[in-house]
């Protein structure tokens, strides 16, 4: 619980279009950023940045998830890199199908 405040602050900094803007009137990027401590534990993530592609809906409440078949990432990529580089490395590790959609959307930018 002691990490929720700092995590929320970091999330706001990441999503803010203008890094110098402060307060609720700042324009934010229209993307989802999910930090899930339970998924961190399930995958043994103990350092960040870490990138994984977890199947299913990560916003589904825990009480509605099937605990018997918890979604698992095939691979985890560690390191500070551009998203395109993380996707390339994930594909190289064997997750080509998993990253295909994200990589194609990114290439359109």
């Amino acid at each position: 619980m002691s990490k929720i405040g700092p995590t929320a602050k970091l999330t706001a900094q990441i999503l803010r279009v203008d890094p110098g803007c402060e307060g609720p009137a700042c324009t934010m990027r229209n993307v989802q950023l999910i930090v899930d401590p339970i998924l961190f534990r399930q995958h043994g993530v103990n350092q960040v940045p870490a990138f994984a592609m977890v199947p299913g809906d990560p916003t589904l409440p825990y009480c509605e998830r099937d605990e018997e078949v918890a979604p698992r990432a095939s691979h985890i990529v560690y390191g500070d890199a551009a998203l395109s580089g993380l996707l390339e490395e994930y594909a190289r590790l064997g997750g080509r199908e998993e990253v295909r959609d994200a990589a194609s959307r990114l290439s359109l930018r």
Side-chain angles (χ1 to χ4, degrees):
M1 292 303 290
S2 65
K3 298 183 180 170
I4 290 175
T7 300
K9 183 177 179 180
L10 177 61
T11 300
Q13 290 171 338
I14 292 168
L15 296 177
R16 208 173 282 127
V17 172
D18 175 4
C21 184
E22 292 291 328
C26 299
T27 304
M28 305 298 266
R29 290 181 176 84
N30 187 24
V31 298
Q32 255 187 355
L33 179 66
I34 300 169
V35 178
D36 187 332
I38 293 174
L39 285 176
F40 273 58
R41 275 194 298 276
Q42 287 174 342
H43 289 82
V45 173
N46 55 20
Q47 66 183 33
V48 293
F51 175 81
M53 300 280 292
V54 178
D57 182 357
T59 63
L60 193 63
Y62 286 102
C63 60
E64 295 178 20
R65 295 183 190 178
D66 184 358
E67 292 179 27
E68 301 290 320
V69 190
R72 302 275 312 167
S74 301
H75 311 284
I76 300 177
V77 177
Y78 293 97
D80 186 9
L83 180 57
S84 58
L86 295 170
L87 292 170
E88 287 174 17
E89 181 62 11
Y90 199 91
R92 188 190 70 74
L93 291 171
R96 189 166 308 281
E97 284 299 314
E98 295 166 80
V99 300
R100 178 172 286 150
D101 182 57
S104 68
R105 289 174 188 250
L106 190 59
S107 71
L108 296 174
R109 294 180 153 245

